[in-house]
Amino acid sequence: TRKLLTMNGHHHPKASTHRLYLHRSRGSRGLTGCEDTHNCECTALAQYVLGSTDDLTQVVCETPTPTQKFLLKFASLPKYTSSETVETTHHNGLCNKPLHGKFFVQQADIPQVDLTLSHQWLQQAHLRAETEAAICAAQEQALATNYIRKNIFKQDVNPICRLCCKENETISHIVSGCKALAGTKYTERHNQICKYLHWCMVQDHQLPVKPNWHAHTPSPAICMEDKITLMYDMTQEVDGAAGGNWPDIVLLNEKKKYALLIDVTIPMDINMVKAAAGKYRKYRDLEISMKKQYDLQKVHTIPIVVGALGTICTGLEKNLARVSPLANADIIQKQVLLGTAHIMRHVLTDTSTV
């Protein structure tokens, strides 16, 4: 099965086999292993026979034959006593891998991480099998970046990034840390999320929009009734907010005297908490200045933070609800992963099977 998956691009040849046989709700591929099923059935049979009080069964258990050896062998395998123990065995096997399991150990240690939401893309996003395999391989650090080729594959290559020529070319560097991609591929991925949020917010105010958000073109400023203004990618001309006066989306309601400053960021997963905190600090001066300039009572900064490899923290759904009741975390996570997969293909096409 693994060979067929690899031949058809549905499984990276260097990816972890443990991850194939874990349930999708645990961030894996959800296959059922033939060997695991066989061993579970044999263990159940051995435990039944050894625990039976039937006289003939007792004779079989006490006679030194190949059958007895079979029974004793499988009765002593606790990891095959149930499907749950098999899952635990594969999960521990994955997390104990110093390379394949590093992302999952770090992900579990992120403060306020929501693992259920972080893994939902494997159940609900319905990505192409090739894209799903590429994202999984990236999480496992199985892709042939220059750093991996140099230090793991022991090839005679320069481990420095082929684009910026400054940092080691790791997966985390490619998907969220390369300055050569900051103004192009990262911006394209970022703008897709902003466009979707703007489309949702326009619908909230009963304004006409395209039926599909992909076809939506955000207007720089939309003035609505009741002194409501929706601004997209506009510099806020206020005093005292130099360097932090350009949120992605601003909703200004002068009648109810409040404003929302919405900013999207897609950092490397382990830096999510730091990135969210940075947004609050960045726009603090703008909040104060807008209060004075527009005579507002409340100005709130709402960071929309999703890890470049799909990790979600517990505050995302709450923040999305404040932005728009139509905004869906599933769609945002899917677009982030599609953008990340596109970036990896753009960088690694010549050296990997992404």
Side-chain angles (χ1 to χ4, degrees):
T1 301
R2 293 197 298 270
K3 183 176 180 180
L4 290 174
L5 290 173
T6 303
M7 289 171 58
N8 289 279
H10 298 180
H11 177 64
H12 194 278
K14 300 295 185 180
S16 170
T17 56
H18 284 295
R19 197 174 182 191
L20 282 174
Y21 304 117
L22 279 166
H23 196 270
R24 285 182 174 265
S25 63
R26 302 185 70 171
S28 299
R29 309 297 295 280
L31 298 184
T32 299
C34 294
E35 183 178 352
D36 292 335
T37 303
H38 169 267
N39 289 339
C40 283
E41 292 299 320
C42 291
T43 300
L45 176 61
Q47 290 177 341
Y48 168 76
V49 172
L50 291 174
S52 176
T53 57
D54 181 75
D55 293 339
L56 292 178
T57 306
Q58 295 274 333
V59 173
V60 172
C61 295
E62 295 170 0
T63 305
T65 62
T67 301
Q68 185 196 47
K69 292 181 180 180
F70 166 86
L71 295 173
L72 294 175
K73 172 187 174 182
F74 282 98
S76 62
L77 295 177
K79 65 180 180 179
Y80 293 113
T81 54
S82 67
S83 58
E84 290 77 13
T85 57
V86 171
E87 287 254 329
T88 301
T89 299
H90 283 303
H91 182 264
N92 293 339
L94 174 62
C95 292
N96 289 335
K97 297 285 186 180
L99 188 65
H100 289 160
K102 183 178 180 180
F103 172 81
F104 304 99
V105 174
Q106 292 178 338
Q107 185 184 54
D109 290 338
I110 297 173
Q112 300 180 344
V113 66
D114 190 326
L115 293 178
T116 300
L117 287 177
S118 298
H119 298 156
Q120 70 184 354
W121 68 275
L122 286 158
Q123 298 176 284
Q124 300 180 22
H126 306 295
L127 300 177
R128 289 193 309 133
E130 295 85 351
T131 302
E132 181 180 292
I135 296 296
C136 288
Q139 292 177 343
E140 299 163 27
Q141 302 184 72
L143 300 180
T145 64
N146 284 343
Y147 183 81
I148 293 296
R149 292 170 65 201
K150 174 71 175 180
N151 294 281
I152 304 300
F153 301 163
K154 304 303 180 183
Q155 298 178 3
D156 186 18
V157 296
N158 187 347
I160 301 301
C161 175
R162 71 197 72 186
L163 298 180
C164 69
C165 301
K166 294 180 180 180
E167 305 283 343
N168 285 330
E169 190 183 84
T170 61
I171 284 297
S172 60
H173 174 76
I174 290 172
V175 301
S176 65
C178 183
K179 293 182 178 179
L181 297 170
T184 54
K185 298 299 181 182
Y186 295 164
T187 302
E188 291 172 9
R189 179 179 62 185
H190 167 275
N191 288 348
Q192 287 291 97
I193 309 304
C194 295
K195 180 168 71 171
Y196 169 70
L197 292 175
H198 188 271
W199 179 78
C200 293
M201 296 178 74
V202 171
Q203 288 188 90
D204 291 339
H205 294 89
Q206 288 78 49
L207 296 177
V209 293
K210 298 287 181 65
N212 191 322
W213 72 266
H214 291 283
H216 178 63
T217 302
S219 300
I222 302 176
C223 297
M224 296 171 274
E225 296 179 355
D226 299 328
K227 296 184 178 181
I228 299 174
T229 306
L230 182 62
M231 292 168 274
Y232 179 85
D233 196 28
M234 285 184 62
T235 302
Q236 301 302 305
E237 300 295 341
V238 294
D239 296 330
N245 61 346
W246 197 356
D248 294 317
I249 303 173
V250 175
L251 178 65
L252 175 63
N253 190 326
E254 295 184 71
K255 182 178 180 179
K256 295 185 178 180
K257 296 185 178 298
Y258 77 89
L260 300 179
L261 311 180
I262 302 157
D263 209 66
V264 175
T265 182
I266 306 171
M268 190 54 198
D269 301 62
I270 60 173
N271 295 329
M272 292 178 63
V273 175
K274 180 180 178 181
K279 294 300 180 183
Y280 289 115
R281 291 194 301 269
K282 180 178 180 181
Y283 294 113
R284 182 56 186 156
D285 290 341
L286 180 59
E287 291 177 5
I288 297 171
S289 299
M290 288 188 69
K291 275 187 179 182
K292 294 178 180 179
Q293 180 162 322
Y294 297 105
D295 190 26
L296 304 176
Q297 295 178 355
K298 297 180 181 180
V299 179
H300 297 294
T301 297
I302 304 178
I304 304 299
V305 184
V306 179
L309 293 176
T311 302
I312 294 175
C313 287
T314 53
L316 177 64
E317 288 192 316
K318 180 180 177 180
N319 285 347
L320 288 177
R322 296 171 66 189
V323 172
S324 168
L326 299 176
N328 191 317
D330 297 352
I331 295 176
I332 291 176
Q333 183 187 47
K334 180 177 180 178
Q335 291 307 310
V336 168
L337 291 173
L338 286 173
T340 296
H342 177 71
I343 291 169
M344 293 190 300
R345 289 192 180 101
H346 173 75
V347 177
L348 301 174
T349 296
D350 59 332
T351 58
S352 75
T353 58
V354 178

